[in-house]
Amino acid sequence: MPGGLSRRSRRAAGAALTAMLLGVVAAGCGPTGRTDSAPPPRVGVLLASPGRRAKVEGLSAGLAALGLQVRMDVREVGGDRSRLPVAARELVLAGPDVLVAGGNIEAKALVAVTRTIPIVVAGTATPRAAGVVADERRPGGNLTGVDNFHAELTPKRLELFQKLLPGLRRVLLLYDPRVEPSREGLRLAQEVAPRLGLELVARPVAGAGDLERALGGISRAAFDGIVVLPGFVLEEAAPALAAASLASGVPAMGLYPEEAQAGLLASYGVPFEEQGRQAARLVAKVLLGEDPGSIPVETPDRPLFVVNRDVARALGLELSPTGLAFAVPVEGLPVGPFDRTEAGGGGAR
């Protein structure tokens, strides 16, 4: 099994990096930490799909904000999960100082190849239940990361959806039965549904054909809304789901702001770029010599509630002012195919 730097070597590298940064401050140099004698650390990044590239943007920005310059090697498999093992092995053989996984499936591919090179997951759902870490407070092994709370935020997602659309009663839930976060999200949704007065209809989606069947025949007469639960297949299906939502007139609620930008009515969760920024803090800790197995998995800094007003107009929906009060405009949130997107984090946990 390919390895990496020993713990002693990592600590030595961390000490050298610390000395380098202190030298930069003492000399009044720029924030990059570059010197002629100390090449920048190497960070290998594994992504399952192009949609997760925003995590790399956040990671780069976060490391730069911390005064760290790194050499980054990004391998992305274009949505073809069967290519992850080969890409993971290539990354490990390149000898990085730290590996960054885009999510659960990338983390599992990397752990299968190395148990020694530190791994930071830039957004993972239910990491212990999914078998990524032994314990969130003390992960053990060579991995730590950011828990994006995608499953745990399911009840609040339903609540915000209903605040936005007070007439919401019958909801179609799309979930991937193969994925632990999706199953946990389904359990939490069923648990909170009676309190919200919701009738839930759960349909499994484990592939493109399943999505077509799950959305077949949907109409506003049959459903008041669609809620997406965590899962890589469902994450990749956002454009198709947005098209089906607009065609049927049934509004949909997703997990990421990026999904609202792709054409869903709303979403509640942590943007990919922010997950990358948060992961940068953990990468910096590892580069400074901390053992990843002793670094607690972090919880999200700030989930965002995003509402796409253009989708609401296209669907002929009247949004509740009470629901919109939770969606406060945020500077700098990128806008996708529609003109205006509103987002906020206030009061939404």
Side-chain angles (χ1 to χ4, degrees):
M1 182 178 296
L5 292 174
S6 68
R7 185 173 298 178
R8 180 178 297 176
S9 298
R10 290 202 306 272
R11 286 175 177 166
L17 182 58
T18 302
M20 179 176 66
L21 292 174
L22 290 173
V24 169
V25 173
C29 298
T32 61
R34 292 290 302 269
T35 71
D36 291 337
S37 59
R42 293 169 296 175
V43 177
V45 183
L46 183 61
L47 300 178
S49 68
R52 296 185 173 183
R53 289 175 186 167
K55 295 190 178 188
V56 180
E57 296 171 11
L59 177 68
S60 297
L63 290 171
L66 292 170
L68 295 176
Q69 184 181 69
V70 302
R71 288 185 293 172
M72 201 170 292
D73 181 4
V74 181
R75 308 293 173 97
E76 183 250 297
V77 299
D80 183 356
R81 288 177 294 174
S82 67
R83 292 169 52 198
L84 282 173
V86 172
R89 184 169 293 274
E90 289 174 351
L91 271 178
V92 169
L93 289 174
D97 298 300
V98 183
L99 291 161
V100 174
N104 276 353
I105 55 177
E106 295 97 328
K108 290 180 177 179
L110 289 171
V111 169
V113 181
T114 179
R115 299 281 182 168
T116 54
I117 300 178
I119 299 169
V120 173
V121 190
T124 173
T126 61
R128 179 168 53 177
V132 177
V133 298
D135 185 272
E136 285 87 350
R137 291 170 298 180
R138 194 171 182 83
N142 61 322
L143 183 146
T144 188
V146 178
D147 185 344
N148 52 35
F149 270 36
H150 283 163
E152 292 84 348
L153 292 176
T154 300
K156 180 59 69 174
R157 210 167 278 126
L158 286 168
E159 183 180 337
L160 288 170
F161 202 17
Q162 192 176 57
K163 285 184 183 296
L164 196 63
L165 301 171
L168 191 76
R169 292 293 179 270
R170 196 162 194 262
V171 177
L172 173 62
L173 290 180
L174 302 179
Y175 77 105
D176 188 338
R178 306 167 303 166
V179 178
E180 175 58 35
S182 209
R183 295 194 300 268
E184 176 65 6
L186 176 60
R187 183 189 71 78
L188 292 170
Q190 292 169 334
E191 187 177 274
V192 77
R195 176 172 66 81
L196 298 176
L198 296 177
E199 177 189 354
L200 304 181
V201 178
R203 292 182 179 174
V205 177
D210 290 342
L211 180 67
E212 187 176 344
R213 285 188 290 272
L215 296 176
I218 63 168
S219 68
R220 196 174 288 185
F223 295 103
D224 300 312
I226 303 168
V227 171
V228 183
L229 298 182
F232 177 74
V233 170
L234 289 164
E235 176 186 313
E236 290 295 286
L241 178 56
S245 171
L246 289 169
S248 65
V250 182
M253 164 72 96
L255 290 78
Y256 310 96
E258 290 85 352
E259 290 176 321
Q261 293 154 18
L264 272 61
L265 173 66
S267 66
Y268 178 55
V270 185
F272 280 172
E273 185 173 352
E274 286 303 313
Q275 293 180 47
R277 281 181 178 271
Q278 194 168 349
R281 296 203 300 258
L282 302 178
V283 170
K285 287 183 179 183
V286 172
L287 288 174
L288 290 171
E290 289 195 41
D291 180 3
S294 64
I295 302 174
V297 172
E298 292 193 2
T299 56
D301 280 344
R302 187 169 66 114
L304 295 178
F305 178 42
V306 176
V307 178
N308 193 316
R309 298 290 295 270
D310 292 295
V311 171
R313 281 189 284 272
L315 295 177
L317 298 172
E318 183 175 345
L319 304 179
S320 164
T322 301
L324 285 174
F326 288 86
V328 181
V330 170
E331 292 284 337
L333 191 66
V335 176
F338 296 89
D339 293 335
R340 288 173 295 280
T341 305
E342 292 186 5
R349 267 298 295 275

